[in-house]
Amino acid sequence: MAPSRNRRPGFSRRAQYGLFLGYVIAVAGSLVGAVLLALATLDPPAFAALRATMAEVTTPVSSGVAAVGRGIGSVPSSISDYIGVRRKNQELRKELDDIHALLMRARSLSYDNRRLKALLQLRERVAGPVVAARLVSSSASSTRRFAVLNAGSWQGVKTGQPVRGPEGLIGRILETGPNTARVLLLSDPESIVPVRRTRDGLPALAAGRGDGLLDIRAATLGNAGFEPGDVFVTSGTGGIYSPNIPVARVLKRARDTALARSFAQPDTLDFALVQQAFMPVAPTAAATAP
């Protein structure tokens, strides 16, 4: 038998109850809205108190619902974070394995180096410290770049001695007084330091520009091929600076001359270390004669 096409609620008691309940809720909502509107118009303080009371009652429920919503909403991000952390963990493990292999190779090379030095009876020259002094001032805007130390000849400071900080080379002593010394900074146009590149030992010269930066000029005739991030340290050539003191890092890609920034920034340092020259000049016979 085909169902009747008459869909009036009179044929279903449940539909009648639902429709009646909908009317009741609509009428009750209208009455409550009218009462609240009248209360807000006629007695604003009472309406404010009622509103505050309702807020106190509904806030815990709203907070619980919001917490549940945030928890459900954070599930996708938590899954993606877990996947990202797992991938990053795998990358770090691979990097750690590579570093471990390099460390083993470096230890082997260090052992061979010590053994060869012992066989050849070679001794390394170590430039001992002279004094640790405070950097009183440094020029940051002039084309000539100098700094002043609060230590001089009375503390053993001499002209030509290198000055370094925790990050790397600062410059060398230019003039000395009894309790002060003038330092020629790396960025001064008159400063030239023999350096080498750490990744392949490329010899070069670090020359000051007068603007706080350095020019790294290759000492070879071939194409040097400077890359951003190339690190240069002192080579020991010239006898003033000890080898392997950090000097500068290349900023831009270049061929024969690269722009670089020194590791040590004098305007941010409080103290500096004055060292003996790496290969001090021996006194002549005329100077030592009475």
Side-chain angles (χ1 to χ4, degrees):
M1 182 177 179
S4 174
R5 296 183 178 181
N6 192 345
R7 298 297 182 185
R8 293 182 301 171
F11 289 94
S12 174
R13 189 175 299 275
R14 181 179 298 177
Q16 291 178 352
Y17 288 156
L19 183 61
F20 176 74
L21 184 60
Y23 286 145
V24 171
I25 292 175
V27 173
S30 300
L31 291 177
V32 171
V35 171
L36 292 177
L37 180 61
L39 183 62
T41 304
L42 300 177
D43 194 356
F47 178 75
L50 178 62
R51 183 173 54 191
T53 303
M54 292 301 296
E56 292 291 333
V57 173
T58 57
T59 295
V61 179
S62 302
S63 300
V65 173
V68 173
R70 287 194 300 269
I72 296 175
S74 64
V75 171
S77 61
S78 299
I79 295 175
S80 62
D81 291 342
Y82 173 77
I83 296 174
V85 168
R86 189 172 182 179
R87 183 178 65 253
K88 188 66 176 179
N89 190 22
Q90 293 175 352
E91 294 176 357
L92 291 176
R93 287 180 180 275
K94 184 179 181 301
E95 184 178 352
L96 185 61
D97 293 339
D98 296 339
I99 293 176
H100 182 72
L102 290 176
L103 179 61
M104 294 298 101
R105 183 181 177 186
R107 285 179 177 176
S108 177
L109 292 176
S110 177
Y111 171 75
D112 292 340
N113 193 21
R114 290 196 305 268
R115 186 170 59 86
L116 291 175
K117 286 181 178 179
L119 291 175
L120 296 175
Q121 296 182 352
L122 295 177
R123 292 183 299 173
E124 290 187 356
R125 180 181 294 272
V126 179
V130 176
V131 65
R134 183 183 293 274
L135 278 170
V136 178
S137 62
S138 62
S139 56
S141 58
S142 174
T143 55
R144 299 303 306 272
R145 298 300 173 104
F146 301 102
V148 177
L149 285 174
N150 66 343
S153 58
W154 289 359
Q155 288 78 29
V157 179
K158 299 179 182 179
T159 302
Q161 291 176 338
V163 182
R164 64 170 301 174
E167 293 84 6
L169 189 65
I170 297 175
R172 59 183 173 86
I173 300 296
L174 186 64
E175 299 173 355
T176 60
N179 286 303
T180 59
R182 200 178 189 195
V183 181
L184 182 70
L185 300 179
L186 291 178
S187 56
D188 188 86
E190 299 295 328
S191 173
I192 298 178
V193 179
V195 296
R196 64 175 180 85
R197 189 160 55 185
T198 55
R199 62 183 173 93
D200 58 1
L202 175 73
L205 295 175
R209 293 166 47 96
D211 58 356
L213 299 176
L214 305 176
D215 281 333
I216 305 295
R217 302 188 181 99
T220 58
L221 297 177
N223 186 9
F226 296 106
E227 297 292 336
D230 281 350
V231 175
F232 284 83
V233 297
T234 54
S235 62
T237 305
I240 297 178
Y241 308 101
S242 301
N244 301 322
I245 301 177
V247 176
R249 177 183 284 113
V250 174
L251 299 178
K252 298 179 180 179
R253 180 174 298 163
R255 296 184 62 183
D256 298 326
T257 302
L259 187 66
R261 183 183 299 277
S262 61
F263 287 102
Q265 299 296 322
D267 54 344
T268 62
L269 296 176
D270 291 331
F271 289 91
L273 183 66
V274 181
Q275 292 181 316
Q276 296 284 356
F278 178 56
M279 296 287 290
V281 179
T284 60
T288 58

